[in-house]
Amino acid sequence: GPLSERPLMDVRLGELHTWISTCSFSPQGLLGAVQRAWGSYCAKYIHVKQGGPAGISMLLAGYCLLSYGWNYQHLKRHRWRKYH
């Protein structure tokens, strides 16, 4: 099919620049991309017949990493240091 309709994992490395240029970076385009990513995540890890802890643990790990990233400057100032 056309390059713009291919998922990211089906795009070759040489076609990546062209594929990115076909993407829509408007607020509606970004919202649609987030909705598609969330839908595929739920279909693969959450809404399955025999699910395991993988889906929920990935969400928890992602939240921990985001939280650490958001609070890094605050945590960096309050580290205990050997020399002041």
Side-chain angles (χ1 to χ4, degrees), residues 1 3 7 10 25-28 33 36 48 60 63-65 69 78-79 84:
L3 184 62
D10 292 342
F25 291 105
S26 67
Q28 279 185 326
R36 284 191 305 274
V48 293
L60 184 61
Y63 173 74
C64 289
L65 288 173
H78 294 290
R79 279 193 285 213
H84 293 277

Side-chain angles (χ1 to χ4, degrees), residues 1-74:
L3 184 62
S4 62
E5 294 179 5
R6 287 191 210 162
L8 177 61
M9 297 305 292
D10 292 342
V11 176
R12 294 184 178 157
L13 192 57
E15 301 171 333
L16 187 62
H17 178 68
T18 310
W19 183 82
I20 289 174
S21 67
T22 62
C23 294
S24 171
F25 291 105
S26 67
Q28 279 185 326
L30 292 175
L31 181 63
V34 168
Q35 287 175 341
R36 284 191 305 274
W38 177 253
S40 66
Y41 171 80
C42 284
K44 188 172 183 178
Y45 294 107
I46 304 297
H47 305 301
V48 293
K49 290 182 181 178
Q50 293 182 344
I56 303 299
S57 63
M58 278 193 274
L59 281 177
L60 184 61
Y63 173 74
C64 289
L65 288 173
L66 281 175
S67 176
Y68 182 78
W70 287 329
N71 293 319
Y72 181 73
Q73 292 297 324
H74 177 74

